[in-house]
Amino acid sequence: MNPGRIKEWLVLLGIVGGVIMWFATMYGLPPRVDKLETTVGTMQKQIDRNDVKTDIILDDVKEIKSFLLTRHGGGK
């Protein structure tokens, strides 16, 4: 084989290797990454639920405060 032919094969092998590595990177995520994505999704749902509960509690506290201020003359 002449040196020009070897260079062509090396370039071709480099391109094919790059494409294979790209596919392995894009579609070969380890299972722990999938598990972490699921865990983060679950945690986000819990945070959203806690935010809703906190809003409900704050609304109740405002109603109680309003009731007490109304009943006892607004702090006078």
Side-chain angles (χ1 to χ4, degrees):
M1 289 185 118
N2 65 23
R5 193 96 162 138
I6 293 174
K7 283 184 182 179
E8 291 174 1
W9 277 104
L10 287 175
V11 169
L12 182 63
L13 287 174
I15 292 172
V16 169
V19 170
I20 289 172
M21 288 304 295
W22 181 78
F23 273 108
T25 302
M26 294 303 291
Y27 299 107
L29 290 176
R32 64 185 180 152
V33 172
D34 292 333
K35 182 180 176 187
L36 287 173
E37 288 176 347
T38 304
T39 302
V40 168
T42 302
M43 290 173 70
Q44 186 61 42
K45 289 178 186 175
Q46 289 175 346
I47 289 171
D48 292 342
R49 263 188 263 134
N50 286 342
D51 286 346
V52 169
K53 289 178 183 179
T54 302
D55 289 342
I56 291 171
I57 291 169
L58 289 174
D59 286 342
D60 289 345
V61 168
K62 286 178 186 176
E63 285 183 31
I64 292 170
K65 178 182 175 183
S66 174
F67 172 76
L68 290 174
L69 287 175
T70 303
R71 180 146 176 127
H72 296 288
K76 292 180 184 177

